[in-house]
Structure formats: structure tokens, C-alpha cells
Amino acid sequence: MACPFQHGSVPATRMPLAAAIAVTTSSGAASESAGTSTSDAASSGERQPVYYGDYLRLGTLLSLQQPESTHGGTRKAAHDEHLFIVIHQVYELWFKQILHELESIREIFSTDHIKERDMLTIVNRLGRVVEIEKIMVDQINILETMTALDFMEFRDYLVPASGFQSSQFRVLETLLGLRPENRTRYSQETYWNAFSDDDAGKLREAEGKRSFLELMERWLERTPGLHPDEFDFWSKYKAAVNDILAANRAQVDHAELTPETRQAVLAECDKNELSFQSVFDPAKHAELREKGERRLSHKAMQGAIMIFLYRDEPRFHLPFKMLNLLMDVDAFFSKWRYQHVMMVHRMIGNKLGTGGSSGYQYLRSTISDKYRIFIDLFNISTYLIPRSKTPPLSESMARKLNVFME
Amino acid sequence: MACPFQHGSVPATRMPLAAAIAVTTSSGAASESAGTSTSDAASSGERQPVYYGDYLRLGTLLSLQQPESTHGGTRKAAHDEHLFIVIHQVYELWFKQILHELESIREIFSTDHIKERDMLTIVNRLGRVVEIEKIMVDQINILETMTALDFMEFRDYLVPASGFQSSQFRVLETLLGLRPENRTRYSQETYWNAFSDDDAGKLREAEGKRSFLELMERWLERTPGLHPDEFDFWSKYKAAVNDILAANRAQVDHAELTPETRQAVLAECDKNELSFQSVFDPAKHAELREKGERRLSHKAMQGAIMIFLYRDEPRFHLPFKMLNLLMDVDAFFSKWRYQHVMMVHRMIGNKLGTGGSSGYQYLRSTISDKYRIFIDLFNISTYLIPRSKTPPLSESMARKLNVFME
Amino acid sequence: MACPFQHGSVPATRMPLAAAIAVTTSSGAASESAGTSTSDAASSGERQPVYYGDYLRLGTLLSLQQPESTHGGTRKAAHDEHLFIVIHQVYELWFKQILHELESIREIFSTDHIKERDMLTIVNRLGRVVEIEKIMVDQINILETMTALDFMEFRDYLVPASGFQSSQFRVLETLLGLRPENRTRYSQETYWNAFSDDDAGKLREAEGKRSFLELMERWLERTPGLHPDEFDFWSKYKAAVNDILAANRAQVDHAELTPETRQAVLAECDKNELSFQSVFDPAKHAELREKGERRLSHKAMQGAIMIFLYRDEPRFHLPFKMLNLLMDVDAFFSKWRYQHVMMVHRMIGNKLGTGGSSGYQYLRSTISDKYRIFIDLFNISTYLIPRSKTPPLSESMARKLNVFME
Amino acid sequence: MACPFQHGSVPATRMPLAAAIAVTTSSGAASESAGTSTSDAASSGERQPVYYGDYLRLGTLLSLQQPESTHGGTRKAAHDEHLFIVIHQVYELWFKQILHELESIREIFSTDHIKERDMLTIVNRLGRVVEIEKIMVDQINILETMTALDFMEFRDYLVPASGFQSSQFRVLETLLGLRPENRTRYSQETYWNAFSDDDAGKLREAEGKRSFLELMERWLERTPGLHPDEFDFWSKYKAAVNDILAANRAQVDHAELTPETRQAVLAECDKNELSFQSVFDPAKHAELREKGERRLSHKAMQGAIMIFLYRDEPRFHLPFKMLNLLMDVDAFFSKWRYQHVMMVHRMIGNKLGTGGSSGYQYLRSTISDKYRIFIDLFNISTYLIPRSKTPPLSESMARKLNVFME
């Protein structure tokens, strides 16, 4: 038994003192006393000592690299296939970790009232997801040490396996909010045929769940200050913008300009006003949403604009941070896809991928904005107005954004 | 004149419409109307159009790379000296940016009451400093493309210039809190002789200012909840720890152990208790501080421990984040120093540096813990206790940590 | 005077011993004796001692950050404009460094016979360019710490300056081989109007030079082994491919297949053969080149395929390495453009950029394959054949690829 | 059956055409015809179609994350333990990949004559190891998203497991050349007790093998040009250095100097000469080797110096590159250790690690130069002389370094 509070005080032997006690104690004293342990973790009396290799299941883990190019064990494997397997396994481990984080966030996010401390948890876990994505991007460099000719040594053995078939990655995209209709698919049938029944089941299950995009939408719609009886942000915002637009027109009217210049400037003013109309007018918004150019509800857009404008208020710190992290999550997946495309292009030229998924051209198609989940958030910047023109908070609204009563 | 609200709407000509107006307007109308501009920035009527190259002073900037190996212009410069100059200039630009951020933070930090929104500013700017430091670390890879033999082609020309003489970097270290007595110095005289009068002046000025370490200390001492009349955190914390330590002893007493095991476990308990005494006992703390092993005041240590334990409370979110960022700032400077050492070792072996500053051995000495500013924060982890044993907040304290009234 | 061989042995004072000698020596002895100095660099007798800050021109360098948002000095500058200036200056310094490397490579590359040791120089310098590009990509993260609202505080002041106007970057693209017709241009006139006369002059000068793409093409055409009287690689390669294609057909003919499967497999064989025809048939190649889908001459393509297939031969090590580095150079510029687009999208939404260069949409267009210079090299992988089918080298060819007689 | 040459041409279904043939073919025709397949890989007739998830053993791989904090399944696991497991498993996968590369290099390296193309293989694989190490360093950032308090939630459950017990990492260090006596060990007994019998066996086996350091030493001793009957590099090098040293003295003798300056300069000359004596005099070298300050034999040092000085000669390109990569391998392990230390310090303060391996202090000790394997190569820079003073190659030596006859 270690002096329990001293985390990890046991000498580096495979038989910790804790276990030594368990062995020497005939009564249940040790395990009982564990109940008084000072840490949340312990109760070490009953536990077997933990060995690093056992804990990580290294015996099994390190036996899962089975190259196909051994031709059923009759030949020496192509040297580089080991790397190919390992890096894909590493990716799958990271996918699992990301899913672990996202699932825990979805759980919190699914409640109607998210406490401040839970918001902190969300922000911290999204931050972790982003760090993982950075590594996912960077480790493509490792695979790039394999040349096209080296890949050719074992490529045919993998037919028709394809990274396209990573069900974890597809579940992940789906949970974030990638809609089936935005995927590049050749035909419904072909798509589903690519997966094992088990994997297809997981995909369909994920498609049935509320995505992050939907949960975020519902949460944005609840942004404090939106309700007309409350602060009525939207009316105030529209008024502020309209003042700005009118002032612009007035400025142009009073300026001495050549006719061409006046025409050019006024054309810009028109374009500018039209852009704001698309967010003011619910019908126009609905139309854009129909076309897939916007994804969030009109109300959610209002919430997002409000958070962006008043992000300095204490209660909007974490919400603003969270929206930014969601953009990061999106951006890094895009970057990963892009770097992946470049690598694949170099590795297989414009040939088909191992799964026949059309390789370079297919992957190129996934870099389009269709694959970006939170694109509305990126576009919010279009609707920001300067701090000096932002409607001042009412006293009660200011108070509200300064208090957390949970 | 651009339709002013449409940020950046002017076509890509060198003569913006804004300027066109200024030109065509004989009256002062344009500049007046600028007063109604919709952005904080504008008033474009009076302004000259901005050209990228002029804005960045590229004409001058790109003329500042003057190799010494031209031997006064009589020879072709050593090819790699250009890189050597450029990368050092880039470092100095980043140092300037870091100083810009740190100075703005010091200003906020120097007030007695830091508002929540100012705390957010601090956190954002420290986050930026950390991003800059990451690049500082990574760009050492660029310099590593120069080999020892290539460096030899121009190294002698630089005598006795040395990175040691970067006054910005030294000011930066000083502002963070590196104390003169912790620097590796051969002699006072030699140290100051290494700098120009101008640079020495800047260093002395920085040494006269309150450092980040000192400002943070004062701020930590004000942590809400420390005052005995308030929540009296310290008494509660000591009681909680003592309970844990006593439970440990009891557990050992009641366990059936061989005499050797008992002795070993009790020795650990002793060590553990001693460790806590060093933070409980003001005299012991003072002693460690005298020796330079602790830097913060006893009260500030209490504040830091409190923030670490209750970091989930809304009002401690940003303070906890800030303390972590300060650790990051510290850690990345350490990493930078370390990678720099490795690079220098490869480049010049164990020879002296160009400034005679003893090269590898000198740099090696700066990786010691003496150069770490916020080491107390790293050590805080030693004194954390599990969430389940942490003293619960009183109702009034809980309320206090949930409200921001500024 | 330092013991000259001891590079950098002088103590860290501003007055090096070398200078001390120069001072105490009335005769020319010191400067004379410098002639016997042991390093390529020295002759230190005449030189003034070098001070770090003077060498790097820090006085000037650190005075070039002049924010526009001071409104002619009447207001406090927007805090974040300093970062905006510094990071762009850093980019311009790196662009200058890349140009320095590329120019030196062009010089070597312009000769008709490139010696092995020069090839090594090229490879090392390209490697450096790639390291710089990595940092260029990564440091976008620093700029991303600025939010849209922060940018808005000074954005209007910069109108119509735009990163579009970086003449160094445009010269760089041009020198690599980006053709004017592949650029996204609104109109010729608008394009040239965007630059100062001086910058436009530099661009036109660069457009008049032989690009890397052209120099590489000429060099690839000289690949040893291409000449029909020599190894006649192309005939042998075509024969090898044709054997493979015929064997494929034969295999299909003899297999028992359902009619549908047979049809599908044969369709693939057709497609495959067609793909090879595009590289076998000079007319088809010319057609693709006309359309801009290929950029290299037919002869140069042959050279590239040959180098890829026999890259294990000593004399092809560095050429293969160089071709890979050129792909890296290309790929990292693409990555940089892509990350830049993502950042701009977040910063300004889908609004216009400061230079009116249409911001997001314009930048999006530069990620297309039109902006990739060495895309033919990426596509080479399509035409590789396995090592076991590669035509064996003749004895004289093998010898040739194992000897470097310069 | 796919049209075999068209790598990966099969549509993305789970039943590749290749398998379709195997199914429809009653005779052995398909598998026979596979013999004529155009790729090294194929012979697809007999093979089962490969499914991504099966190939990577995802079913098993993704079931190996078994947290201890479930307390035998009776509680919900601590959220962050999943990350802790995943990142360690990822590290172990990368260790396995590095061992895969290193073992393949050792095999080549163990022969008496290494062909140029094999040298290329070595260089490419070492390059890959370095890329893996970079990711190993960077992914520490992911673990840093876990705070000390989060770690505390499951830390006690892991006692006494410790990263110290990663047998793969220890084998790796040993294979590179870390000697048992350079390890920080408390006692022999304790050290070996930390490992399972199986792991201890692997360690002892690795200790019995020729390390990279030894293999490199033997290879360096064979550097062409060292033999006295051949180019006799060492005599020529010593003569060149002595000329330089004598010229230095002469320069000092003839300069007019104050007595103090003369004394200082002469002291430097003395030091400089002493430094060279340590490499000229076999006895001094042996003495330093005895003390552990040098690791390579005298002959091997000569080879390394020769390669560094004549690295521009074709035949030394790859050897020089390889020596640099070995330094990279070493440097990145050092960086990894350093970043790991910083992270651990933040996570557990100066407490003991979970394995009782003394945590921070132990890890701090592994950053010392004792853990650097190829430190002699870093120190080579001390003994380089400028290109202009390097002994010219004889004609026969020049020829030798320009030819590869295998």
C-alpha cells in the first residue's frame, strides 16, 4: 500500500506496495480501508497492480499489423505496407477519441439549459478535438515519405479496400452535421454497398441522431436578448444597420462626383443593401436555405450575430469561444482533406483509388464548401457592424449578461 | 469614395474611389461627410489611398539585408548570410510584437481592479503571444538547413556580434520576471559591456519596471475568498488536507503489513506531510523563497491554489485560463531555448559563439529552471486535492463566483 | 585581435580584440597579417567590430511599423494593426529569402551541364525554400488570433491596399512558372493598375525571364538515356507497357466471367490504354498541352518518367530528389493559399477584400489546379510501372548512371 | 478481376471484380493468370477482397481502450482516461514503426559493403523516422489539454504503471546506442524489476545486439581515403590545421599589442591548440573516450571529419546526409524528452510519477547529454576548417569519389 495520497509513490516494481498489502492481508481490512482513500480514484486494496503493457493491451495492439503483401504469408511483405497500416490505425484511434469527445459534448448540448460550467467543459473538449485535428493534418507528412513506386509494391493487394470505408470518419462527419445530400455520391446503391452491414448500420444510426449543427441551431435560437419582450436585439440591429446604410447614401448624395464614379459607388451601395436584405428578410433567408446556401434557421442566425457583436460581455465569452472552436473544427477538417488530396495526387496521379472511389477527382470534390458544416458562422463576419454603431445594452440586459445563476 | 460601409469595396486600383472624391471635390464636403462614415475607421475623404508596398515600408524593409561577408562590397557575399540576417530580423519583428502585447497587458494588469472584459483581452493577447512563440520554435528548422561549413563562410565577419545582444529579447525576459541574479553572468562588467549605451539603457529601464511576475503576484493576493472574514479558503484547505493525511496514517495503522513495508509506507507519509508543511508554514515558505526555490508570496500561492481548485466556477474561468497561458508562455520560451541550443551545438560544436558568450555551454545553462519565470504555477499541481475532498463553497461565496458586476 | 582561427573567441564586449589591434596598430601590419588569416571570412584587422543591433539594422527595422489607424497621428492606433503590419512584413522578408534562393538556383539551372555538386546545392536550397513555406503556412495561425471585429477597427484605413499587391509574391509565382493566362484576372487593365509603376516593372521583368518550369523542361529533355542511339528508353518503356496491357487483355479473355463483369473489366482496360495513349502519342500530348492540361514538352515528360523509374541509380538520386522538392514547393504554396482562404473567409465573410479584389471568391479561385506549376510531376505517378516490369538497364547505361565525371 | 494494371480500378463495393472472378472460375485459371499480372503485388485471383475495417483489424483495435477508472466496471470511467489510453497506444504504434525502420536499416548496415542504392534506402528510412519523431513531439500538445485536476481523477488507478515501462521505447534507445551505464538508474535490481519477464527479455536481447552507434563506427572507419597508402587524409588534415595554427601565432607575434591583449590572445591560441590536440593525439582521444566524453573510435572520428569536409563530392552526398539524419534522430528524441518533462511538470508538479519513477526529477535527468547517442557528430563542427584550407583531393581520390561501381 502506498501512502495513498501520494499519487504514484510506489517504487517502480511490478508489485506495488498496494498489492503487497492485498497479499499480506488475510482479512478484508485493506479493501475496507481503501474506502477511506484520499483520492477519487483509489480503493487500491482490491485492485491488481497495473502493468503498463497490460493496461494498454500492447500484446494485442502490436499484433494487429498484418500486411496483405505477404501473399498469405508466402512472401516477404512490402516494406512500406507496415507504415500504411500503422498510420491508418493511428488515424482510427484519433477518430475514436474525437467521437468520444463529441459524444460527451452532444450529451451536454442536448439539454435545454446549459450551465456555465458545462459550457466550459464543451469549450475544453472542442479545444482538444482541434488539437487532434492539427496532428491529423501534420502527420500526412509521414505518409508522404512513401513514394508512388513504393506504394505500387502493395497497392493491388488492398483492392478494393479504401479510406472511403472508414465508418468512424463518416459517423463523425454525420454527427457534426454533414448531410447525406451534400456528399459526393455516385449512386445511393453504390454508396451503401461500400460498407459492411455492421458499418452501414452505424452510419444509419448516426444519420438518425441530432447533429451538432442542429443542436447548435436550437441553442443559438435561445440566445438571451432575442425575444421581442426582452432586449429585442433584432429590431435594434436592423435599425442600426439601416441608419448606416442611409448615412452612406446621404454621403454619396452630397459628394461632388463624376457621373461614372457616382454610378459605381451607388452600385456598391445597392449590392451592400441587398446583402443585408438577405439576412433581414425571412423569405429571402428561407430561399437561400432551400438552395443550401444557408443552413441555420433565421432565429439562430440572429443569435449568432448577437453573440459575435456582444462577445465582450461575460456571459457571451464562452459561447463566442465555442462558435470559434466549431469553425476551427470545420476548418481543420477542410485542411486535412486538402492536404490529403495533394498527397494522394502525388501518390497515384489521376488514377482511381484502391476502392475505385475515383481517387483524386473524388477527393477534390470533398474540398468544396458543401463539406463545410458551420459555413454560416464564417459568413457572419459579413453582417458585423463596428463597435461604435452597435446598439447599447439596456441596463437589465447588461445585468443579465453579467450574472450566472445556475 | 467607396460606399463606406462596404469595407474594402474599392476596385483594385491604386487610386481608390475615396481618393477620387477627394480629388474631384473642391469644397470640404467630402472630408466633412466622412464624419458621418459608418465605420470607426473611415473619414476617408481626407486620406490618401494606401498602397500595400508603402504601408509596409517595403522599400526600406527590403533594403536592410546588408551582409558583412561582402568585405565592404569587394566580394560576393556568402550565400547563406542572407538567410542568417533575414531570420534574425524576423525574430526581432516577432519580439517587437510580443512586447507590444505584453505592454498592453501590463497596462491593464497594473490597475487594482481588473474587469471581466479586460481579463478576456488579457487572455486573448497572451494566447497570441503563445502562437508567436510556437512559430519561433518551429522556424529554427529553417536555420538548420544551413550547415556548419556554410556558416563558417561568414561567421568570422560577425565577430563579436551575438544573439546575446538582442536587447528586445532581454527586455522581454525582464518584463516577464527573469531576475538579474538568475541570469548566467560572467561578471557584471562584462554583461553590461556587451550592450550599446542605448540598449543598456533600455535594459535598465525594464529592470526598473514591475514585472509580470510581480503584477500577477499582487493580483493573486487579491483572489476573492482568501480573506479570513470572507470564505477563509486557507483554513478550510488546510483542514481538508490534514484530514486526508490523518486518514492515510490511520489506514496504514490498521493494515496488516510486514515491518519493512510498514516502514516504507510510513516514510512516504512523512515525505508527503513534509511537502505540505512547506506550503502551510509561512516560515518554511519564506525560507524556500529566500533560496530562490519559490518566487511568489505566501498569499499569492494561496490564491493560485484556490483558482486551480475552483476553476470550474464562472468567475475563475478566465483567471485559470490566464495562469495556464502564463505557463505556456514560460514553457515555449524554454522549448525555444532548448531547440536553439541543439541547433547551435550542431552548427558550432562546443566552440565559443560569435560574441564570445561561450556558445553551447552558455546556452545550455539557460535551460535550467532558473530561467523559468512561473515555475511556482507548475508546482501548484503538487498541492491539489481531489474534487471530492475540496471544501464546498459557502452560499455567499458561490454567488460571488457567479456574478460579474462591473 | 582574436586568435583568428578560434571563430568567435572574442569576449562579449562591443570592442573586439580584433578592433583593439586595429586601433593600437599604427602600421598596416594588422590588416596585412589579416591576409594570412585562417578563415575565408576574416581579414579582421581592417574591419570595424560588428554590433548585433547595427548588423540587423534594428534601429530602422523596428521603426517601420506605422499604423494607419492613428488617423495621421491624432488617435491611438487600433491595437491589432501592429500585428497586421508585423506579420505582413515577416511574410515579405520570407518572400525575399525565397527569391534569393530561387535566383541562385536559376543561375545554376541556366547552364547546359549541371554538375553533381551543383545539383546538391540546388537540392539543399529547394529544401530550405520548403522549410520556409512550412512556416508561412503555420504562421497563419498567429493572424487567426485576430477576430473579425478587431480587424474592423482598422480595416477601412487600409483601402485600397491589398495583399494582392505583393509584387514579391507575384514575381515569385512568375519565376516558378505561373503563366499570366492562368491567373484569375478581371481585366488586363485592372490587373496592371493595381501595381505601382515600380512594381509593375518588376513583374514585367519577371515575366520576361525563363521560369523554373521552362528550365526544368530543358533539363529533363537532356536526361541521359533518352536518345534513340543511346539507351532509347522511350521505345523500351512503350514496349514494356504494351506487354502489360496485352497480358491484361489476355488474362481477361481466358477468365470465366459473366457477360456484365467482362464488359466492366474490358471498359476499364480501354480506359487504361487510352490513358497511356495520351503519353505515347505526341499528337495527343500536344493537344493536351494546347488545352493547358499538360505543361511539359513530350521529351521532358519522357525524362521525368525515366527518372521516376530509375531513381535508385546513383546519378538519378539528386534529380529525383529535386523533382520531389519542386512538387513540395508547389504543394506548400497550394496549402498556404488554402489556409489563407479559410482565414480570410472567417475574417471578412464573403465581403470584398481591402483592395476590392473580391476577397473570398477571388482567393478561392487561386486554389484551382491552374495555379499549380508542376502538376505534370504529380501526374507522372499515373504512368509508372512496377519495378519487376521496368526495362533493365544496358551495361553501358548502368555504368553511365554510376559515374560522375565532371 | 480488375483490369490488373489499373491499380484500384474496381468500383467501391465490398465484392471486387477480382473476387468475382475467383468465385465464377471453377478452374485454377484465374490464379494462374495472376502469374502474368502486371504488378508485383497482384495475383488477385486467389485473394479474398479486402475490406478496410478488416484490413486494419478495427474491430479489435477499437476495443483495446479499457479504462481502469471504471473500478472493475462498477463506475463511469473518468472522461479523460480515454485520451490517456489512446495517446499512449498511438505512441506505441509509432514506436513499432520506428523499430520496423531501424531494424531494416540495421540489416543493411550490418554488411561490410553498403551499395549506393542501399545508402539511399537508409537515408529515406531515417528521413521517415525523423518525420515520425516530429509528430511525437507535436502530439504532446494534445495531452496538454488535460489538466492536473482531470488527471487526478484516474491517476491512482494506474499505480504502478509508468511510461518508464515502455519496452519498445527502451529497445529503441538501446538499438540506437544508449548504453546501460548512461541511463539514470537507481539500482540494477529496481530497474529490472520494473519490467515483466517478457519485456525484460526483449531489453536484454536488444542490449546484446550491435547498436547503430557501433555499426556507424565500423562504417566510418572504412571511409575511403583514410588509409595511409591511399589518400592519407589524416596526415594532410593535421598538416593543414598545423599551418593554420602556426599562422595564427605568427600573426599575433607581428601585431603591435598591449601586453594584456597579447596575453589574452595567446591564451586563446593555447586553448584552440589544445582542442585540436584532443583529436590529433590518440592517447588523449582514448582518455576522453574512457571518461565517456567521446564515443566513437579515433579512426571513426577521422572518417566523420573527412565526410564533413568533402561532403560536396558525389560519393559523400548520401553519407553526409545520413550523418545529419542521425543527428536529427538524436535531436528530436531530446526535444521529445524535453517537451515531455515540461508537460509532466505541469501535470503532476514535482511529485512522483505513477510508477514511482520519481517523475519530474527523473525525467529531467534524461535530458542530459548522457542520453544523446550521436553527440560526437554534433561536436565534429569544432574541428572543421574552411573550404579554402581543406587539402585538395588527389586526382585518383577525386575519381574515386565520383564513381559508383557496385
Side-chain angles (χ1 to χ4, degrees), chain C residues 117, chain D residues 225 230-237 239-240 243 306 309-310 313 385-399 401:
Chain C
R117 73 183 62 212
Chain D
E230 209 184 3
F231 178 58
D232 195 12
F233 164 69
W234 198 239
S235 306
K236 291 192 172 73
Y237 168 74
D243 283 356
M306 187 170 181
L309 287 178
Y310 299 96
E313 302 305 314
I385 55 179
R387 280 189 174 95
S388 62
K389 313 283 180 190
T390 300
L393 292 174
S394 63
E395 203 178 308
S396 70
M397 194 64 214
R399 205 176 313 115
L401 295 183

Side-chain angles (χ1 to χ4, degrees), chain B residues 243-356:
Chain B
D243 283 356
I244 291 170
L245 296 173
N248 283 352
R249 290 254 176 220
Q251 193 180 351
V252 177
D253 287 349
H254 292 93
E256 291 184 28
L257 299 168
T258 64
E260 299 79 38
T261 306
R262 180 176 306 277
Q263 196 178 354
V265 174
L266 287 175
E268 284 177 40
C269 289
D270 291 348
K271 224 160 88 182
N272 203 4
E273 284 162 21
L274 215 61
S275 162
F276 276 100
Q277 281 317 316
S278 82
V279 78
F280 285 173
D281 181 349
K284 288 225 172 110
H285 176 83
E287 198 182 304
L288 288 168
R289 215 179 169 197
E290 194 64 36
K291 283 198 261 176
E293 293 182 22
R294 285 217 188 114
R295 311 216 176 138
L296 293 176
S297 72
H298 196 226
K299 194 84 178 280
M301 283 291 280
Q302 297 173 20
I305 292 172
M306 186 172 181
I307 292 171
F308 271 68
L309 286 177
Y310 300 96
R311 53 151 197 193
D312 289 338
E313 302 305 314
R315 218 168 134 184
F316 282 166
H317 287 180
L318 288 175
F320 181 70
K321 180 80 183 156
M322 191 196 73
L323 295 178
N324 270 282
L325 282 166
L326 289 174
M327 286 194 269
D328 284 336
V329 168
D330 215 18
F332 277 105
F333 275 123
S334 295
K335 287 173 194 174
W336 182 69
R337 283 196 182 94
Y338 191 67
Q339 306 232 33
H340 187 228
V341 168
M342 298 295 281
M343 186 264 293
V344 167
H345 191 189
R346 184 188 288 213
M347 203 79 87
I348 62 170
N350 33 28
K351 264 181 214 162
L352 302 179
T354 50

Side-chain angles (χ1 to χ4, degrees), chain B residues 150-177:
Chain B
D150 295 327
F151 187 30
M152 214 179 231
E153 308 256 333
F154 62 94
R155 220 184 136 215
D156 277 5
Y157 288 108
L158 312 187
V159 171
S162 163
F164 182 91
Q165 295 167 323
S166 168
S167 62
Q168 284 201 119
F169 187 67
R170 278 165 196 284
V171 165
L172 205 159
E173 291 178 320
T174 302
L175 282 185
L176 285 174

Side-chain angles (χ1 to χ4, degrees), chain D residues 64-267:
Chain D
L64 302 180
Q65 295 72 42
Q66 301 292 345
E68 283 288 319
S69 57
T70 57
H71 208 252
T74 61
R75 295 185 195 169
K76 205 174 170 234
H79 178 82
D80 282 8
E81 192 181 354
H82 196 275
L83 172 66
F84 195 78
I85 295 172
V86 161
I87 198 167
H88 282 92
Q89 289 180 334
V90 166
Y91 272 119
E92 291 290 337
L93 285 173
W94 286 129
F95 294 159
K96 189 173 182 212
Q97 184 62 39
I98 293 178
L99 286 170
H100 178 71
E101 303 298 345
L102 292 187
E103 277 301 346
S104 80
I105 298 173
R106 283 187 77 252
E107 205 171 303
I108 300 172
F109 224 177
S110 301
T111 59
D112 275 345
H113 175 68
I114 302 172
K115 286 185 196 167
E116 186 73 5
R117 73 185 61 214
D118 289 335
M119 203 63 184
L120 185 64
T121 302
I122 291 176
V123 160
N124 287 339
R125 292 183 185 168
L126 283 176
R128 178 176 294 166
V129 170
V130 171
E131 289 300 325
I132 295 172
E133 288 183 279
K134 283 184 192 167
I135 289 300
M136 284 172 49
V137 172
D138 288 346
Q139 78 190 14
I140 290 177
N141 293 335
I142 299 175
L143 197 51
E144 283 189 330
T145 62
M146 185 170 82
T147 65
L149 218 51
D150 295 327
F151 187 31
M152 214 179 228
E153 309 256 333
F154 63 93
R155 218 183 138 216
D156 278 4
Y157 288 107
L158 312 188
V159 171
S162 162
F164 182 90
Q165 295 167 322
S166 168
S167 62
Q168 284 200 120
F169 187 67
R170 281 169 191 283
V171 165
L172 205 159
E173 290 178 321
T174 302
L175 282 184
L176 284 174
L178 182 61
R179 296 184 193 166
E181 63 269 26
N182 281 355
R183 289 188 187 278
T184 306
R185 286 180 175 182
Y186 305 101
S187 73
Q188 277 297 106
E189 199 192 351
T190 309
Y191 181 79
W192 290 105
N193 279 346
F195 300 98
S196 69
D197 292 347
D198 190 35
D199 284 344
K202 285 178 200 157
L203 283 188
R204 293 200 190 274
E205 188 193 331
E207 289 189 2
K209 284 185 185 174
R210 277 237 157 83
S211 73
F212 260 64
L213 186 64
E214 288 163 316
L215 291 169
M216 182 188 75
E217 182 180 59
R218 293 194 336 166
W219 170 81
L220 281 172
E221 289 171 351
R222 298 194 307 261
T223 306
L226 289 189
H227 201 279
D229 296 345
E230 209 184 3
F231 178 58
D232 195 12
F233 164 69
W234 198 239
S235 306
K236 291 192 172 73
Y237 168 74
K238 283 198 288 189
V241 170
N242 283 328
D243 283 356
I244 291 171
L245 297 172
N248 283 353
R249 291 254 174 221
Q251 195 180 350
V252 177
D253 287 349
H254 292 92
E256 291 183 30
L257 299 168
T258 64
E260 300 77 38
T261 306
R262 181 177 306 277
Q263 198 176 353
V265 174
L266 287 176

Side-chain angles (χ1 to χ4, degrees), chain B residues 209-238:
Chain B
K209 286 186 182 173
R210 276 237 158 82
S211 73
F212 260 65
L213 185 65
E214 287 163 316
L215 291 168
M216 181 187 77
E217 181 180 60
R218 292 191 340 163
W219 170 81
L220 281 172
E221 289 172 352
R222 297 195 308 263
T223 306
L226 288 190
H227 201 278
D229 296 345
E230 207 184 4
F231 177 58
D232 195 13
F233 163 69
W234 198 240
S235 305
K236 292 193 171 70
Y237 168 74
K238 282 197 291 189

Side-chain angles (χ1 to χ4, degrees), chain A residues 1-2 16-26 30 45, chain B residues 255-257 261 265:
Chain A
M1 182 181 71
L17 295 185
I21 296 178
V23 169
T24 56
T25 309
S26 53
Chain B
E256 291 184 28
L257 299 168
T261 306
V265 174

